[in-house]
Amino acid sequence: MELRLTPDEEARLAAIAAVVGSNPEQLIKDAAFSLLEEDNRFREAVRIGIAQADGGELMDEATMDARVDRLFPS
């Protein structure tokens, strides 16, 4: 696989790599693998949620509202 970057993008990437003590190629690899891992976690969580919903494990609206209020207080 080949990745084409503008000179500005290469310079920005090199600067970030220098700060974190890496090289640009490894920085891109790490970011790509992190994205893939997060995608896998998200998809698994969706599969679990669908299975719970299919099994009737649903939360009523009042309970959900209370949970959202606790997670995101205004």
Side-chain angles (χ1 to χ4, degrees):
M1 174 184 284
E2 186 176 320
L3 177 65
R4 293 187 179 107
L5 300 172
T6 67
D8 181 56
E9 291 166 337
E10 285 186 26
R12 291 171 57 197
L13 185 60
I16 294 169
V19 169
V20 299
S22 183
N23 63 62
E25 182 179 340
Q26 189 61 49
L27 191 66
I28 288 174
K29 284 181 181 179
D30 292 345
F33 286 124
S34 178
L35 175 66
L36 293 172
E37 289 172 4
E38 181 58 32
D39 182 68
N40 285 339
R41 282 191 294 271
F42 174 78
R43 290 175 187 275
E44 180 60 21
V46 169
R47 279 191 286 277
I48 290 169
I50 290 170
Q52 289 172 334
D54 288 347
E57 300 175 48
L58 301 174
M59 214 179 277
D60 63 61
E61 186 174 355
T63 304
M64 179 54 85
D65 288 346
R67 180 179 274 187
V68 169
D69 288 345
R70 279 195 314 274
L71 290 173
F72 306 102
S74 45

